[in-house]
Amino acid sequence: AEGEPVEDVIEAIEFRGSRRVPQDTLRALIFSKRGDKYSEETLNRDFMALWNTGRFDDLRIEREAGRTGWVIRFVVTER
């Protein structure tokens, strides 16, 4: 199908909108890792883990098909 990745795995994880908080810090807070099987449940946990830091006014997750799997993007608005 058009727009479906080759495999149901996470190809990459990106963060957008984060200025003060380093990407490595954000990456350490979430459960999803590159190469993991794609899971809505885990992404929901990731969402809550980031949200519960209290650092963000807004947070959303986008996903798009990459070359080999899903590209997951956390788009944040800092407080």
Side-chain angles (χ1 to χ4, degrees), residues 35-54:
D36 284 359
K37 187 161 173 49
Y38 177 82
S39 158
E40 289 281 338
E41 197 178 325
T42 306
L43 283 177
N44 287 336
R45 284 171 65 197
D46 294 342
F47 181 96
M48 290 315 297
L50 292 170
W51 186 251
N52 288 338
T53 63

Side-chain angles (χ1 to χ4, degrees), residues 7-20:
E7 291 185 67
D8 203 24
V9 298
I10 296 173
E11 176 184 324
I13 297 172
E14 302 172 356
F15 295 92
R16 290 271 168 84
S18 174
R19 301 270 175 274
R20 291 191 297 276

